[in-house]
Amino acid sequence: MTETVAAAVAAAALIAFGFPALAADPLVAGDAVRAAVLDEITPAAEWQVGGGPVGFGRTEVRRIGDFAHVRAVVTRADGGAIDPETVAWIRDAARPPTLSGVLRWRDGRWMLLDAAIERADTSDPDAAYRRWGLPAGLLPPVCAHRQNWGCAAVR
């Protein structure tokens, strides 16, 4: 009986005060969802930096429900740096080249919606995605761009 009353009070509170906002905690290395998301975004990263196998240096993958956001430093497969000056269409890229992208879970797999190398002259590399109406909390805060991931001291 007590459990029924507690459930009713909780339901009434949700109705009265609204549902809590979902939070997108970064997925840790070894997480199966993180691995699947990075597998899906890898071909876009390879194309963005001129072809060839790539790896990811510093990487943050965030997920809420059916959506995921990735921000990752793109490296050569052996971990070596990629020089944006060697790829004509990313000469104005952030250094090191950093990929930002959004994916959605559909039909049993992650599908890439969009990905791009961040420009060096932007203060918010996710500005375009903020207009998409994605779940609140999926994208990192505006201050969490390439120079200061997480709005605190660089990790």
Side-chain angles (χ1 to χ4, degrees):
M1 178 76 169
T2 306
E3 294 168 358
T4 305
V5 171
V9 169
L14 284 174
I15 292 167
F17 300 110
F19 290 92
L22 297 172
D25 293 323
L27 301 176
V28 297
D31 183 277
V33 170
R34 175 188 166 103
V37 166
L38 291 176
D39 285 348
E40 178 64 23
I41 205 168
T42 296
E46 291 170 341
W47 182 86
Q48 292 277 337
V49 298
V54 298
F56 296 111
R58 185 175 183 183
T59 303
E60 183 178 87
V61 179
R62 302 161 70 93
R63 174 190 178 196
I64 293 181
D66 292 345
F67 289 93
H69 176 267
V70 174
R71 174 161 294 132
V73 171
V74 183
T75 65
R76 300 198 184 290
D78 65 4
I82 293 174
D83 180 6
E85 290 296 322
T86 64
V87 184
W89 56 86
I90 64 167
R91 286 194 178 129
D92 62 350
R95 271 120 174 111
T98 303
L99 184 77
S100 184
V102 175
L103 301 92
R104 186 158 193 190
W105 181 258
R106 280 287 178 252
D107 300 323
R109 70 181 199 86
W110 287 100
M111 298 175 140
L112 181 64
L113 299 178
D114 187 59
I117 296 291
E118 297 175 359
R119 295 176 47 92
D121 62 355
T122 185
S123 61
D124 181 13
D126 296 312
Y129 302 146
R130 293 186 198 288
R131 296 187 292 268
W132 286 15
L134 296 168
L138 178 68
L139 300 175
V142 173
C143 58
H145 53 81
R146 69 191 170 282
Q147 291 126 350
N148 191 2
W149 294 35
C151 306
V154 175
R155 298 182 255 168

